[in-house]
Amino acid sequence: MMCAMLIAYLTVGYPTPEAFLEAAKRIGPYVSAYEIGFPPRFAKYDGPVIRRSYMSIKGSLDEHMALASSVNGTKFALTYYEDIRERPEAFISKAASSGFAGCLFPDAVIDYHLEAEKVFSMVNDAGLKNAIFVSPSVPDALISKVSRWADAFLYLGVRPTTGVPVPVSVEALVKRIKKLYSGPLIVGFGLKDEEIKDAIGAGADGIAVGTAIIKALEAGPEKAEEEVKRIARIAGN
Amino acid sequence: MVNFPPEKWYNVVPDLPAPLPPPMDPPDAESSSIELLNQIMPREVLRHQFTVERWISIPDEIRDAYAQVGRPTPLLRAKRFEEAIGTKARIYFKYEGATPTGSHKINAAIPQAYFALKEGVTGLSTETGAGQWGAAVALASSIFGISSTVFMVRTSYEQKPLRRLLMEMYGAKVYPSPSEKTEPGRAALGRDKNARGSLGLAMSEAIEYALKNGLKYAVGSVLDVVLMYQSVIGLEAKAQLEAHGEVPDVLIGCVGGGSNFGGFVYPFIGSGIGKRYIAVGPTEIPKFSSGSYRYDYPDSAGILPLVKMLTLGREYAPPPIYAGGLRYHGVAPSLSLLVREGVVEAMEVSEEEAVRAGLLFARSQGIVPAAESAHAVAAVIRAARESAPGTVIAFNMSGHGLLELDVYRRSSA
Ligand SMILES: Cc1ncc(COP(=O)(O)O)c(C=O)c1O
């Protein structure tokens, strides 16, 4: 069997710049890529854990980009499109010059579907790839349309917010997307251990983990490493 | 071909013209109200709410119960009503009044009672305005042998003793809302000891009561999952119209929270049938014309997560129109989106116009429309006037008005 991809989420500079870098280094061997979150004004699709992490960090976007640039490996810059909508090219070019492979805007398709394709093309123009986020409430026709831009991967968030446990049938959700899109599919948002297997069994190419890492990281980078190792094992890596 | 009752529910979300904004936690909240739903609603109901698939299998036990309450309900042509209003359009209606509790509400109550029982819950709590939803929950609970507790808006509790009696006959415990039983109720009575109550407040009471007493809360409208459970109406109607050899041009339903409208109309939208879809609300509660499209709470105490919808604001106190089921501040998120995107037309008719239309329908067809459904009848008259001869209009008669004849008293004199 091919190895499942594991995408690890970290909030830039959280809980401290040092612990952030240390955690990134420790989990590096187990992950396919990092998503690094830059604090938005309001992280509306994030649960309390990630929201709290955003609120606790200080500093400017430039400082955050500089810090993130010293994380080695494939990494995607994540922020809310709502916040950069005035000048998306500023964020995108900073991401490009900080060594990111691509961008991920969790609200682009859900809240700005009419202009999403324009942003995706800007990302490509900057030499970056698009990781495109969709939720189950995105209609089929739109999933088909935007997923053509997903040259990194399509990211399906199976719950309304990160890290909040509501019951869903991961298998059914993944199968629906697989009918519409054949590229690499990453599944995330509050996955329980058994759901990681369900997702991969239903045809997902990998999983994304955020809240669990952030929670573990609050107890120290070595705890984050343990958690990522544990999850990588469940994912069959 | 659809078997009766249908084997699957239909969910419109994958077929919407734009993404449905997901439910959201309050921006400044420490805890998650989305997470709290786990304690409020039966697990399977939540799973249906969050697992977006176009078709969901209906368990056999639920199909049996649907059959027991008279599904499929009749689809009838309103020939004498056509004559009475002098139209060359052909008018059909789906008659949801032909269920024991007299409205479509039983379609969403049955699955919630069933899924509650399946997870070992001993009872459901809920709110009711006119008493239609409360009666449905009371009956569904009795079908599956669990208890039911209903918070009934005080205005209706006093105005509509027969519906209260019906709920009690099915074994429900019925409290007037605001009540002394819950925090939101006591707060409202503290502000005004003669408070008349509202659907939003009764909802908050029922939710808190469920949380405090280890029950589950049954949700009567607004949420996508309720509209999905109601899709049996439209799926049946679609097959029944086909059997008549008819393809409807105009589809109409009244809107309180949107459940009978969505249940009836969405299966047609999903299969591309129909040229006009008309959602009718009351002029007195102008959520279509004056509501804003934004995140707001479905319940007035703000216990449930925010949903993006057309809303007059959760604090809005609806005027005491007779159609209790339409006295609600918001519109289901999927329907709000369809109105915004121009797929569904919104119309508002006054109580007076609705009552006149309902009376005309009763005189010509014999069926007395519920005050809510009379709004749909009024819209049918307007649509028939604008339609070319041969137009096929289909509407949902969401309930009968036999327990609330009072509303027609003045006009029939
Ligand atoms: C007969 C009838 N029709 C319509 C409604 C309005 O609710 P909804 O818009 O959810 O169908 C109600 C609500 O109580 C009702 O009892």
Side-chain angles (χ1 to χ4, degrees):
Chain A
M1 196 187 102
M2 226 178 65
C3 268
M5 289 196 271
L6 175 55
I7 314 282
Y9 171 86
L10 294 170
T11 296
V12 69
Y14 183 80
T16 63
E18 299 72 30
F20 161 74
L21 290 178
E22 165 87 13
K25 204 157 126 201
R26 280 173 176 264
I27 66 180
Y30 312 100
V31 307
S32 326
Y34 303 93
E35 292 169 61
I36 298 182
F38 294 86
R41 272 191 295 268
F42 174 40
K44 67 165 131 175
Y45 300 128
D46 285 294
V49 173
I50 291 178
R51 257 183 343 225
R52 226 185 305 121
S53 77
Y54 279 137
M55 282 186 292
S56 81
I57 57 170
K58 311 235 152 24
S60 67
L61 179 60
D62 286 333
E63 286 161 358
H64 291 149
M65 282 283 175
L67 183 65
S69 71
S70 41
V71 173
N72 294 318
T74 309
K75 53 187 193 273
F76 291 86
L78 182 159
T79 199
Y80 281 69
Y81 178 66
E82 181 175 25
D83 279 18
I84 59 157
R85 196 171 167 215
E86 303 276 287
R87 288 189 61 231
E89 59 282 3
F91 181 87
I92 293 167
S93 70
K94 280 176 190 170
S97 57
S98 306
F100 279 93
C103 292
L104 198 168
F105 306 115
D107 57 343
V109 175
I110 301 177
D111 296 319
Y112 299 97
H113 69 103
L114 296 177
E115 57 196 81
E117 289 181 276
K118 203 180 75 203
V119 191
F120 300 150
S121 94
M122 269 187 210
V123 168
N124 284 161
D125 290 346
L128 298 182
K129 293 191 169 186
N130 282 296
I132 292 180
F133 181 80
V134 294
S135 66
S137 59
V138 177
D140 285 9
L142 189 58
I143 290 175
S144 300
K145 192 165 124 182
V146 297
S147 62
R148 287 198 286 267
W149 290 89
D151 47 2
F153 53 84
L154 189 70
Y155 180 163
L156 171 68
V158 293
R159 294 190 165 78
T161 54
T162 54
V164 170
V166 293
V168 293
S169 168
V170 171
E171 190 187 344
L173 291 172
V174 170
K175 284 189 171 156
R176 175 176 156 224
I177 304 296
K178 292 296 281 186
K179 283 199 193 127
L180 303 168
Y181 163 80
S182 56
L185 175 64
I186 298 296
V187 176
F189 273 37
L191 291 186
K192 295 194 215 107
D193 291 354
E194 63 276 15
E195 289 174 341
I196 293 174
K197 294 205 179 83
D198 291 348
I200 291 165
D205 301 277
I207 55 153
V209 186
T211 303
I213 298 177
I214 297 297
K215 265 193 193 153
L217 178 52
E218 286 167 355
E222 65 290 352
K223 296 288 181 211
E225 180 184 349
E226 274 170 36
E227 179 63 10
V228 171
K229 240 160 113 175
R230 194 186 70 80
I231 291 165
R233 253 197 323 271
I234 298 169
N237 296 12
Chain B
M1 193 44 220
V2 170
N3 286 319
F4 291 129
E7 287 165 356
K8 291 185 163 124
W9 288 298
Y10 169 71
N11 185 346
V12 78
V13 176
D15 291 327
L16 290 174
L20 190 64
M24 204 170 67
D25 281 332
D28 45 359
E30 285 286 308
S31 62
S32 165
S33 40
I34 296 176
E35 184 161 13
L36 189 64
L37 291 176
N38 288 300
Q39 288 166 54
I40 296 175
M41 285 158 62
R43 191 181 161 75
E44 191 65 7
V45 177
L46 271 186
R47 200 178 68 77
H48 284 154
Q49 167 73 23
F50 291 116
T51 307
V52 177
E53 288 179 277
R54 190 174 280 105
W55 297 103
I56 305 259
S57 293
I58 307 179
D60 286 342
E61 293 85 343
I62 292 177
R63 293 187 69 223
D64 271 357
Y66 279 162
Q68 285 296 304
V69 298
R71 302 220 71 84
T73 54
L75 178 107
L76 304 168
R77 179 156 171 202
K79 266 194 178 161
R80 289 173 45 80
F81 180 64
E82 289 167 17
E83 281 163 26
I85 62 173
T87 181
K88 297 243 163 18
R90 295 194 293 283
I91 299 174
Y92 290 85
F93 65 103
K94 180 73 168 159
Y95 187 41
E96 290 296 300
T99 55
T101 56
S103 83
H104 66 292
K105 298 280 178 180
I106 193 70
N107 305 327
I110 284 174
Q112 295 186 67
Y114 172 73
F115 292 129
L117 171 73
K118 285 281 276 189
E119 70 179 62
V121 173
T122 59
L124 289 175
S125 77
T126 199
E127 78 288 342
T128 197
Q132 299 268 25
W133 173 240
V137 170
L139 174 58
S141 298
S142 80
I143 289 176
F144 294 109
I146 60 176
S147 76
S148 56
T149 307
V150 181
F151 290 83
M152 185 172 191
V153 178
R154 186 176 295 273
T155 318
S156 307
Y157 185 87
E158 287 163 5
Q159 274 178 7
K160 298 173 183 178
L162 290 180
R163 229 178 256 292
R164 186 178 121 205
L165 177 61
L166 181 62
M167 290 187 265
E168 286 166 352
M169 284 167 62
Y170 294 137
K173 184 85 198 101
V174 185
Y175 299 114
S177 167
S179 77
E180 292 288 347
K181 295 272 157 199
T182 72
E183 197 46 54
R186 286 188 293 271
L189 289 173
R191 285 190 297 274
D192 171 8
K193 69 175 178 11
N194 297 314
R196 310 306 302 152
S198 71
L199 217 47
L201 175 61
M203 203 186 251
S204 298
E205 287 211 88
I207 293 167
E208 203 213 66
Y209 191 83
L211 284 170
K212 292 268 161 72
N213 293 280
L215 306 174
K216 289 283 157 112
Y217 167 72
V219 53
S221 189
V222 187
L223 295 190
D224 309 316
V225 66
V226 178
L227 276 58
M228 182 183 93
Y229 292 152
Q230 290 291 357
S231 66
V232 290
I233 307 172
L235 293 168
E236 288 175 6
K238 203 162 136 278
Q240 289 166 317
L241 280 164
E242 269 164 33
H244 280 273
E246 294 281 30
V247 181
D249 301 297
V250 185
L251 291 128
I252 296 175
C254 67
V255 177
S259 76
N260 89 85
F261 180 89
F264 177 62
V265 175
Y266 288 179
F268 291 95
I269 295 181
S271 41
I273 299 173
K275 302 186 184 111
R276 287 180 76 187
Y277 311 104
I278 305 174
V280 197
T283 307
E284 296 82 356
I285 300 166
K287 47 194 171 188
F288 288 121
S289 55
S290 310
S292 50
Y293 185 55
R294 60 182 169 87
Y295 274 99
D296 192 15
Y297 295 94
D299 60 313
S300 66
I303 304 171
L304 295 174
L306 295 150
V307 293
K308 196 162 183 184
M309 61 178 176
L310 281 166
T311 176
L312 291 164
R314 69 167 156 144
E315 308 282 354
Y316 175 79
I321 59 167
Y322 207 94
L326 306 186
R327 299 182 67 223
Y328 181 69
H329 64 275
V331 178
S334 56
L335 179 52
S336 298
L337 186 144
L338 284 163
V339 169
R340 292 272 300 184
E341 295 283 326
V343 176
V344 170
E345 294 169 44
M347 189 183 277
E348 287 171 351
V349 303
S350 68
E351 176 157 75
E352 195 203 328
E353 184 178 344
V355 168
R356 252 189 289 121
L359 190 62
L360 191 59
F361 195 88
R363 283 185 172 147
S364 52
Q365 290 293 135
I367 288 174
V368 181
E372 293 83 1
S373 319
H375 289 73
V377 178
V380 169
I381 297 176
R382 288 200 199 175
R385 290 217 177 97
E386 296 162 5
S387 298
T391 301
V392 177
I393 300 174
F395 76 100
N396 192 37
M397 178 66 81
S398 56
H400 70 66
L402 288 175
L403 292 184
E404 295 130 329
L405 290 176
D406 287 3
V407 67
Y408 293 106
R409 199 192 298 273
R410 264 168 305 148
S411 323
S412 59

